[in-house]
Amino acid sequence: MYIVAHRGAEDLELENTMAAFRAAPPADAFELDVHASLDNQLVVIHDRTAARVAAPDSPHRDSPIASLTLEEIRQIRLSNGEGVPTLQEVLDATTLPIQVEIKAPGAVTPLAQLFRDQPEQLGRILFICFIDAALVELIDRLPDARVG
């Protein structure tokens, strides 16, 4: 059996947070969701806004992630006190295989660039998406990417 921790260990910690990813072992892998910011930075969050997971008084909690710069996203406080992580931060802090769910087509170009710049990370990544065109574009830009 192969166990994938959905959004990290979301049953133990707030989904898509560093705490959830640190708690993912003993799972074999974990899944996360990625969006691109206005300035094409890759951030790990499920919804198009942070409203569902942000602290009630957090700035930018109701703004679409795609309309915010990374600097603005860094101001968002999640309900567990953490900030919204970048994909790079997750890659740097973890060693498990990762299923990266592309939540919006705007994330494809920065994803392809990130993994062209860090090909050593690509072997631990499986890209998934409910938008078939996004996976086709990713394979065009990053032929060695594994998709599912």
Side-chain angles (χ1 to χ4, degrees):
M1 182 181 328
Y2 190 80
I3 299 171
V4 178
H6 186 245
R7 301 180 197 162
E10 70 173 340
D11 56 335
L12 301 174
E13 301 287 348
L14 182 64
E15 68 181 54
N16 280 321
T17 60
M18 296 305 291
F21 303 135
R22 283 190 299 270
D28 299 301
F30 63 87
E31 180 266 354
L32 57 74
D33 304 288
V34 70
H35 284 268
S37 64
L38 183 62
D39 51 352
N40 288 316
Q41 301 301 304
L42 295 164
V43 294
V44 178
I45 192 163
H46 181 272
D47 300 346
R48 59 183 293 277
T49 73
R52 186 172 56 81
V53 292
D57 59 347
S58 180
H60 310 297
R61 69 187 307 271
D62 296 312
S63 300
I65 294 297
S67 73
L68 299 172
T69 65
L70 181 58
E71 182 178 335
E72 292 168 322
I73 293 167
R74 293 262 188 229
Q75 297 170 20
I76 297 171
R77 284 295 105 203
L78 301 175
S79 61
N80 70 347
E82 291 186 28
V84 176
T86 66
L87 180 56
Q88 185 65 61
E89 290 167 341
V90 176
L91 291 171
D92 291 345
T94 64
T95 58
L96 287 178
I98 305 172
Q99 292 182 5
V100 174
E101 183 173 341
I102 303 168
K103 298 304 285 186
V108 170
T109 298
L111 276 168
Q113 186 61 53
L114 174 69
F115 290 102
R116 275 196 304 270
D117 292 345
Q118 297 179 58
E120 71 282 0
Q121 294 279 8
L122 194 55
R124 67 189 275 222
I125 305 298
L126 174 68
F127 296 97
I128 58 177
C129 187
F130 290 103
I131 306 166
D132 292 340
L135 292 176
V136 169
E137 181 183 349
L138 181 67
I139 290 297
D140 285 346
R141 293 176 181 272
L142 193 65
D144 292 335
R146 292 183 311 128
V147 299

